[in-house]
Amino acid sequence: MTSELNLIPVVDLLQGQVVRAVRGDRKAYRPIVSALCASSDPVTVARILCDHCAARQLYVADLDALQGGPVQIAVLADLLQALPEVELWLDAGLADAAAGQALRSQLAPFASRIVLVFGSESLRSREALERCFAMDEDGAVEGPLGAALSLDRRDGQRLDHAGCWDAVDLWPERLIVMTLERVGSGAGPDLETLQEVRRLAPDATVIGAGGIRSEDDLARASAAGADAWLVASALHDLQLPRVRR
Protein backbone atom coordinates (compact mmCIF):
# COMPACT_ATOMS: atom_id res chain seq x y z
CA MET A 1 0.00 0.00 0.00
CA THR A 2 1.04 3.57 -0.56
CA SER A 3 0.30 4.77 2.98
CA GLU A 4 0.44 3.58 6.57
CA LEU A 5 -3.22 4.40 7.06
CA ASN A 6 -5.08 1.83 9.14
CA LEU A 7 -8.13 0.43 7.36
CA ILE A 8 -11.21 -0.34 9.45
CA PRO A 9 -13.78 -2.32 7.42
CA VAL A 10 -17.44 -1.42 7.86
CA VAL A 11 -20.50 -3.63 8.09
CA ASP A 12 -23.89 -1.91 7.83
CA LEU A 13 -26.59 -4.11 9.37
CA LEU A 14 -30.27 -3.89 8.44
CA GLN A 15 -32.72 -6.56 9.56
CA GLY A 16 -29.98 -9.11 10.03
CA GLN A 17 -28.28 -8.61 6.68
CA VAL A 18 -25.33 -6.58 5.44
CA VAL A 19 -26.47 -3.75 3.17
CA ARG A 20 -24.63 -1.30 0.94
CA ALA A 21 -24.55 2.22 2.35
CA VAL A 22 -25.00 5.01 -0.22
CA ARG A 23 -24.81 8.69 0.78
CA GLY A 24 -26.42 8.08 4.16
CA ASP A 25 -29.86 7.50 2.57
CA ARG A 26 -30.72 4.62 4.88
CA LYS A 27 -34.20 4.00 3.51
CA ALA A 28 -32.66 3.13 0.14
CA TYR A 29 -30.09 0.64 1.42
CA ARG A 30 -30.28 -2.85 -0.14
CA PRO A 31 -28.53 -6.17 0.69
CA ILE A 32 -24.91 -6.06 -0.35
CA VAL A 33 -23.91 -7.23 -3.81
CA SER A 34 -20.16 -7.63 -3.60
CA ALA A 35 -17.34 -8.74 -5.87
CA LEU A 36 -15.43 -9.69 -2.71
CA CYS A 37 -18.14 -11.39 -0.64
CA ALA A 38 -20.72 -13.60 -2.34
CA SER A 39 -23.03 -13.22 0.64
CA SER A 40 -24.92 -10.70 2.78
CA ASP A 41 -24.54 -12.83 5.93
CA PRO A 42 -22.93 -10.61 8.60
CA VAL A 43 -20.41 -13.14 9.92
CA THR A 44 -19.35 -14.21 6.42
CA VAL A 45 -18.91 -10.64 5.22
CA ALA A 46 -17.12 -9.51 8.38
CA ARG A 47 -14.63 -12.38 8.20
CA ILE A 48 -13.80 -11.69 4.56
CA LEU A 49 -13.43 -7.93 5.06
CA CYS A 50 -11.24 -8.27 8.15
CA ASP A 51 -9.08 -10.85 6.39
CA HIS A 52 -8.74 -8.66 3.29
CA CYS A 53 -7.68 -5.65 5.38
CA ALA A 54 -5.64 -7.58 7.96
CA ALA A 55 -7.91 -5.68 10.35
CA ARG A 56 -8.12 -6.00 14.12
CA GLN A 57 -11.08 -3.63 14.24
CA LEU A 58 -14.51 -3.82 12.64
CA TYR A 59 -16.98 -0.93 12.51
CA VAL A 60 -20.63 -1.96 12.69
CA ALA A 61 -23.52 0.42 12.07
CA ASP A 62 -26.78 -1.04 13.38
CA LEU A 63 -29.24 0.63 11.03
CA ASP A 64 -32.25 -0.84 12.80
CA ALA A 65 -31.18 0.93 16.00
CA LEU A 66 -30.14 4.10 14.15
CA GLN A 67 -33.66 4.34 12.74
CA GLY A 68 -35.31 3.94 16.15
CA GLY A 69 -35.72 0.17 16.28
CA PRO A 70 -34.19 -2.38 18.65
CA VAL A 71 -30.48 -3.14 18.63
CA GLN A 72 -29.65 -6.36 16.77
CA ILE A 73 -28.11 -7.98 19.85
CA ALA A 74 -28.11 -11.54 18.51
CA VAL A 75 -26.30 -10.54 15.30
CA LEU A 76 -23.75 -8.49 17.22
CA ALA A 77 -23.11 -11.37 19.62
CA ASP A 78 -22.61 -13.69 16.63
CA LEU A 79 -20.03 -11.31 15.19
CA LEU A 80 -18.16 -10.96 18.46
CA GLN A 81 -18.12 -14.71 19.02
CA ALA A 82 -17.02 -15.48 15.44
CA LEU A 83 -14.21 -12.90 15.46
CA PRO A 84 -12.53 -13.33 18.86
CA GLU A 85 -9.46 -11.24 17.98
CA VAL A 86 -11.41 -8.29 16.56
CA GLU A 87 -12.43 -5.11 18.40
CA LEU A 88 -15.98 -4.09 17.44
CA TRP A 89 -16.71 -0.37 16.99
CA LEU A 90 -20.47 -0.12 17.38
CA ASP A 91 -22.76 2.69 16.26
CA ALA A 92 -26.28 1.94 17.42
CA GLY A 93 -27.82 5.41 17.63
CA LEU A 94 -26.87 5.90 21.29
CA ALA A 95 -28.52 8.99 22.79
CA ASP A 96 -26.54 9.12 26.04
CA ALA A 97 -24.11 7.31 28.33
CA ALA A 98 -26.90 5.31 29.99
CA ALA A 99 -27.91 3.85 26.63
CA GLY A 100 -24.29 2.92 26.03
CA GLN A 101 -23.98 1.21 29.40
CA ALA A 102 -27.22 -0.70 28.82
CA LEU A 103 -26.01 -1.91 25.43
CA ARG A 104 -22.65 -2.95 26.83
CA SER A 105 -24.42 -4.94 29.58
CA GLN A 106 -26.46 -6.78 26.95
CA LEU A 107 -23.20 -7.87 25.34
CA ALA A 108 -21.44 -8.36 28.67
CA PRO A 109 -19.34 -11.44 27.75
CA PHE A 110 -17.70 -9.38 25.00
CA ALA A 111 -17.62 -5.95 26.68
CA SER A 112 -13.84 -5.64 26.69
CA ARG A 113 -13.81 -5.78 22.87
CA ILE A 114 -16.52 -3.19 22.25
CA VAL A 115 -15.90 0.46 21.42
CA LEU A 116 -19.15 2.38 21.69
CA VAL A 117 -19.55 5.06 19.04
CA PHE A 118 -21.56 8.10 20.13
CA GLY A 119 -22.66 9.96 17.00
CA SER A 120 -23.35 13.69 16.96
CA GLU A 121 -26.53 12.94 14.99
CA SER A 122 -27.80 10.75 17.86
CA LEU A 123 -26.65 12.37 21.13
CA ARG A 124 -29.65 14.08 22.67
CA SER A 125 -28.02 17.04 24.46
CA ARG A 126 -24.87 18.86 25.49
CA GLU A 127 -25.25 17.31 28.95
CA ALA A 128 -25.36 13.85 27.36
CA LEU A 129 -22.14 14.62 25.49
CA GLU A 130 -20.48 15.75 28.73
CA ARG A 131 -21.51 12.57 30.55
CA CYS A 132 -20.27 10.29 27.76
CA PHE A 133 -16.72 11.61 27.91
CA ALA A 134 -16.49 13.18 31.37
CA MET A 135 -13.19 13.04 33.23
CA ASP A 136 -12.70 12.83 36.97
CA GLU A 137 -10.11 14.86 38.89
CA ASP A 138 -7.41 12.30 38.09
CA GLY A 139 -8.07 12.45 34.37
CA ALA A 140 -9.87 9.09 34.21
CA VAL A 141 -12.91 8.74 31.96
CA GLU A 142 -16.13 8.55 33.99
CA GLY A 143 -18.38 7.69 31.03
CA PRO A 144 -18.40 4.39 29.11
CA LEU A 145 -14.87 3.12 28.65
CA GLY A 146 -13.55 2.53 25.16
CA ALA A 147 -15.84 5.07 23.50
CA ALA A 148 -15.44 7.25 20.41
CA LEU A 149 -17.22 10.37 19.16
CA SER A 150 -18.44 10.53 15.58
CA LEU A 151 -18.71 14.06 14.18
CA ASP A 152 -21.47 13.60 11.58
CA ARG A 153 -22.39 15.84 8.67
CA ARG A 154 -24.32 15.60 5.42
CA ASP A 155 -24.33 17.95 2.43
CA GLY A 156 -22.34 20.57 4.30
CA GLN A 157 -24.67 20.56 7.31
CA ARG A 158 -23.69 19.33 10.75
CA LEU A 159 -25.95 16.63 12.22
CA ASP A 160 -25.52 17.84 15.74
CA HIS A 161 -28.35 18.30 18.27
CA ALA A 162 -25.87 18.35 21.16
CA GLY A 163 -23.39 20.88 19.78
CA CYS A 164 -20.59 18.31 19.56
CA TRP A 165 -18.75 20.01 16.70
CA ASP A 166 -18.18 23.18 18.71
CA ALA A 167 -17.47 21.48 22.05
CA VAL A 168 -13.80 20.82 21.30
CA ASP A 169 -12.94 20.77 24.99
CA LEU A 170 -15.25 17.75 25.42
CA TRP A 171 -13.85 15.72 22.53
CA PRO A 172 -12.42 12.32 23.52
CA GLU A 173 -9.19 10.75 22.31
CA ARG A 174 -10.89 8.95 19.41
CA LEU A 175 -12.76 10.99 16.80
CA ILE A 176 -14.54 9.88 13.63
CA VAL A 177 -15.13 12.43 10.87
CA MET A 178 -18.26 11.09 9.16
CA THR A 179 -19.20 12.81 5.91
CA LEU A 180 -22.35 10.90 5.01
CA GLU A 181 -22.85 12.15 1.45
CA ARG A 182 -19.43 10.72 0.58
CA VAL A 183 -20.30 7.22 1.86
CA GLY A 184 -20.58 4.79 -1.05
CA SER A 185 -20.49 7.68 -3.48
CA GLY A 186 -17.14 7.27 -5.19
CA ALA A 187 -16.74 11.03 -4.76
CA GLY A 188 -13.45 10.93 -2.88
CA PRO A 189 -12.74 11.59 0.80
CA ASP A 190 -13.62 14.84 2.57
CA LEU A 191 -10.08 15.83 3.48
CA GLU A 192 -10.86 19.49 4.20
CA THR A 193 -13.14 18.64 7.12
CA LEU A 194 -10.71 16.03 8.39
CA GLN A 195 -7.85 18.54 8.33
CA GLU A 196 -9.92 21.00 10.34
CA VAL A 197 -10.68 18.38 13.00
CA ARG A 198 -7.01 17.38 13.07
CA ARG A 199 -6.03 21.04 13.58
CA LEU A 200 -8.45 21.34 16.52
CA ALA A 201 -7.45 18.00 18.05
CA PRO A 202 -3.76 17.48 17.26
CA ASP A 203 -3.28 14.68 19.79
CA ALA A 204 -6.43 12.69 19.02
CA THR A 205 -6.76 9.55 16.94
CA VAL A 206 -8.73 10.81 13.94
CA ILE A 207 -10.61 8.36 11.73
CA GLY A 208 -12.16 9.44 8.44
CA ALA A 209 -15.25 7.93 6.84
CA GLY A 210 -16.65 8.02 3.33
CA GLY A 211 -15.42 8.43 -0.22
CA ILE A 212 -12.29 6.28 -0.45
CA ARG A 213 -11.80 4.98 -4.02
CA SER A 214 -8.17 3.97 -4.31
CA GLU A 215 -4.76 3.62 -2.70
CA ASP A 216 -4.03 7.16 -3.82
CA ASP A 217 -7.02 8.39 -1.78
CA LEU A 218 -5.63 6.55 1.24
CA ALA A 219 -2.24 8.19 0.79
CA ARG A 220 -3.84 11.65 0.53
CA ALA A 221 -5.94 10.95 3.63
CA SER A 222 -2.85 9.94 5.57
CA ALA A 223 -1.05 13.10 4.45
CA ALA A 224 -4.07 15.15 5.58
CA GLY A 225 -3.72 13.81 9.11
CA ALA A 226 -5.95 10.74 9.24
CA ASP A 227 -4.83 7.87 11.45
CA ALA A 228 -7.38 5.44 10.01
CA TRP A 229 -10.29 5.29 7.58
CA LEU A 230 -13.60 3.44 7.58
CA VAL A 231 -14.04 1.57 4.30
CA ALA A 232 -16.71 -0.66 2.75
CA SER A 233 -17.68 0.07 -0.88
CA ALA A 234 -14.06 0.28 -2.09
CA LEU A 235 -13.49 -3.19 -0.64
CA HIS A 236 -16.63 -4.73 -2.10
CA ASP A 237 -15.78 -3.22 -5.52
CA LEU A 238 -12.18 -4.53 -5.38
CA GLN A 239 -10.71 -1.02 -5.52
CA LEU A 240 -8.25 -1.71 -2.69
CA PRO A 241 -5.79 -4.61 -2.75
CA ARG A 242 -5.42 -7.16 -0.02
CA VAL A 243 -3.34 -5.91 2.92
CA ARG A 244 -0.46 -8.18 3.87
CA ARG A 245 1.13 -7.84 7.30
Side-chain angles (χ1 to χ4, degrees):
M1 292 186 59
T2 56
S3 82
E4 296 300 317
L5 199 66
N6 186 34
L7 296 185
I8 302 177
V10 176
V11 168
D12 291 286
L13 292 178
L14 183 65
Q15 298 177 4
Q17 294 189 85
V18 180
V19 296
R20 181 175 286 249
V22 182
R23 301 180 187 274
D25 183 10
R26 292 168 184 149
K27 296 187 185 308
Y29 289 4
R30 297 291 180 266
I32 194 77
V33 175
S34 169
L36 186 65
C37 313
S39 174
S40 62
D41 170 68
V43 169
T44 301
V45 173
R47 277 181 169 149
I48 292 171
L49 293 184
C50 288
D51 181 63
H52 189 84
C53 296
R56 296 289 183 170
Q57 290 133 347
L58 175 71
Y59 186 99
V60 175
D62 185 332
L63 300 176
D64 289 13
L66 280 160
Q67 296 179 103
V71 178
Q72 299 174 71
I73 294 295
V75 180
L76 296 171
D78 285 346
L79 286 169
L80 286 157
Q81 186 165 7
L83 300 165
E85 297 182 357
V86 170
E87 183 180 69
L88 195 74
W89 290 47
L90 178 56
D91 183 3
L94 300 171
D96 53 32
Q101 297 284 28
L103 177 54
R104 192 183 289 280
S105 69
Q106 288 182 279
L107 294 165
F110 313 103
S112 65
R113 291 193 286 120
I114 297 171
V115 173
L116 296 175
V117 176
F118 291 93
S120 66
E121 72 164 321
S122 301
L123 281 168
R124 60 179 172 79
S125 67
R126 170 69 176 250
E127 181 184 8
L129 170 65
E130 291 176 355
R131 287 178 178 271
C132 284
F133 303 109
M135 298 281 187
D136 64 20
E137 292 181 357
D138 297 321
V141 178
E142 292 182 322
L145 294 175
L149 174 64
S150 181
L151 298 168
D152 307 321
R153 67 195 297 273
R154 181 191 285 113
D155 299 326
Q157 301 297 314
R158 296 173 176 178
L159 305 177
D160 191 12
H161 305 295
C164 300
W165 282 85
D166 292 324
V168 177
D169 56 323
L170 297 179
W171 288 359
E173 294 181 359
R174 288 184 277 198
L175 299 168
I176 298 167
V177 182
M178 179 74 70
T179 306
L180 283 164
E181 76 271 14
R182 303 287 182 107
V183 171
S185 69
D190 177 10
L191 301 183
E192 183 178 348
T193 303
L194 183 126
Q195 286 176 311
E196 177 62 12
V197 171
R198 167 55 72 203
R199 184 185 68 79
L200 294 169
D203 298 323
T205 297
V206 180
I207 302 107
I212 291 294
R213 303 159 296 186
S214 64
E215 288 184 281
D216 181 61
D217 280 344
L218 293 176
R220 293 191 303 116
S222 180
D227 296 298
W229 209 276
L230 304 182
V231 288
S233 295
L235 298 173
H236 291 295
D237 295 340
L238 303 182
Q239 293 174 307
L240 297 175
R242 183 183 179 87
V243 176
R244 301 191 183 280
R245 297 196 177 164

